[in-house]
Amino acid sequence: MDLGPESSYTKFPVEISRGDQSYYLVRGKKGYLLLSTTCPHYGGRVADQGTTFRCPEHGWRFEHTEGECINGPRSRMVSFPVIVEKGHLIADLT
C-alpha cells in the first residue's frame, strides 16, 4: 500500500485508515512500521494517549515506536513493515 511521500510525514504517530482498517504509522530505531489499532489481547480499539497507545478495554499501554506492551504481559501490537521506495512510504500488509 502506497502511503504517499515520506516528506509529507513530519510528526508521529499518524493515524491512517484504509477501508474499514485503521493503523498508526510510527517511526522507530529500525525505521517505519504500521501498527494495527486493534488490541492484540481483547480486540478493543487502541487509542493514542500522547506518549503511549492505550486499550480502553483493559488498560494495556503500548509504546509509540514498536508497539510493545509496557504494563502487561510480553505482547505487542500487530505490525506491518514499511519501506521507502522512490521517496514514498510503502506498507506490506500481507
Side-chain angles (χ1 to χ4, degrees):
M1 170 183 10
D2 188 339
L3 303 174
E6 179 182 23
S7 61
S8 67
Y9 296 100
T10 57
K11 290 185 176 183
F12 297 91
V14 177
E15 189 167 356
I16 294 177
S17 295
R18 293 293 191 260
D20 62 346
Q21 299 294 315
S22 61
Y23 309 90
Y24 290 110
L25 176 64
V26 298
R27 183 172 59 187
K29 295 175 185 174
K30 298 178 185 176
Y32 297 102
L33 288 174
L34 271 186
L35 301 175
S36 172
T37 60
T38 302
C39 181
H41 171 243
Y42 199 68
R45 188 175 192 291
V46 175
D48 183 5
Q49 298 289 297
T51 58
T52 61
F53 299 113
R54 182 179 179 278
C55 178
E57 301 293 331
H58 51 72
W60 281 12
R61 292 190 335 260
F62 303 88
E63 56 84 32
H64 266 176
T65 59
E66 302 288 327
E68 291 185 43
C69 187
I70 58 175
N71 70 328
R74 187 176 176 104
S75 186
R76 67 180 330 138
M77 297 166 71
V78 174
S79 65
F80 302 93
V82 176
I83 62 168
V84 180
E85 188 174 289
K86 297 180 183 177
H88 277 235
L89 295 178
I90 308 295
D92 181 0
L93 298 178
T94 57

